[in-house]
Amino acid sequence: MKKLSLLIASTMLSATALAADFDLPPLKDQAQMFVVGTVEIDGVSYQKLSHSQLVNDAQIATRSLKASQGLFAGDMVKKGKLSYVERVSGSFLISGKNSAELKQAAQAHGLTVKYTVSNKAIVLAPEGKELTAILNALKSDSRINVAKLERVSQRMQPE
């Protein structure tokens, strides 16, 4: 019994020493991401990310100005250090009384209807529009019960 426990302990120690010798590559999404600002979505503060690193003070000022201008389709966000990186798609899920009212509401806000079923619809914002302003406008519309901004993560993808 002593030999078995000694064998198990030595195997565990050698495995941890071997694992410490290898440098594991960073996760694909978070390998080259840099925080460029914060943005609030549904009352939750997210960090806005970029792939490129800042090089000088002029780029820092330009990047912070762009980050403070809002949230656009294609932007990448995450909640904190341990959360997944999510890409903002520019689509919204909206729910209301019926599909006819949802189509009218989408048209009133300048959105394109991609898909409707029963009392739910997926709508797409025009390219280059600020998404948090559209989200707030959709939430304040009396024809819409629920409005959510789509954020796509690779949470379910194999690594």
Side-chain angles (χ1 to χ4, degrees):
M1 192 62 164
K2 288 182 181 181
K3 289 182 182 180
L4 180 62
S5 58
L6 183 61
L7 178 65
I8 291 172
S10 65
T11 304
M12 289 176 53
L13 286 174
S14 64
T16 54
L18 183 62
D21 289 341
F22 292 107
D23 289 330
L24 297 175
L27 294 175
K28 182 171 66 173
D29 283 345
Q30 298 178 4
Q32 300 169 357
M33 297 289 183
F34 303 96
V35 177
V36 294
T38 58
V39 66
E40 191 170 308
I41 306 170
D42 292 330
V44 178
S45 185
Y46 286 84
Q47 295 175 337
K48 193 172 175 181
L49 306 172
S50 175
H51 280 292
S52 61
Q53 189 172 14
L54 304 174
V55 194
N56 58 33
D57 291 338
Q59 286 181 331
I60 292 172
T62 305
R63 182 78 42 80
S64 10
L65 177 64
K66 185 178 178 188
S68 67
Q69 290 175 348
L71 187 66
F72 299 91
D75 284 350
M76 293 171 288
V77 296
K78 72 177 189 173
K79 286 185 189 177
K81 289 185 178 183
L82 299 178
S83 67
Y84 290 98
V85 174
E86 300 172 331
R87 182 177 301 276
V88 179
S89 68
S91 295
F92 297 89
L93 169 69
I94 57 174
S95 176
K97 291 182 182 177
N98 57 44
S99 62
E101 281 192 1
L102 292 177
K103 287 178 183 178
Q104 290 173 352
Q107 187 177 17
H109 293 286
L111 305 173
T112 306
V113 178
K114 287 175 38 178
Y115 178 75
T116 61
V117 61
S118 179
N119 65 340
K120 294 175 181 57
I122 295 177
V123 295
L124 181 64
E127 190 70 32
K129 292 288 186 175
E130 205 279 320
L131 300 175
T132 53
I134 295 173
L135 180 62
N136 293 335
L138 288 171
K139 287 185 174 194
S140 66
D141 194 324
S142 62
R143 297 170 286 193
I144 298 174
N145 297 336
V146 175
K148 293 190 176 192
L149 178 62
E150 181 182 48
R151 295 179 311 272
V152 182
S153 70
Q154 293 185 355
R155 182 173 27 171
M156 304 305 277
Q157 297 289 326
E159 294 181 19

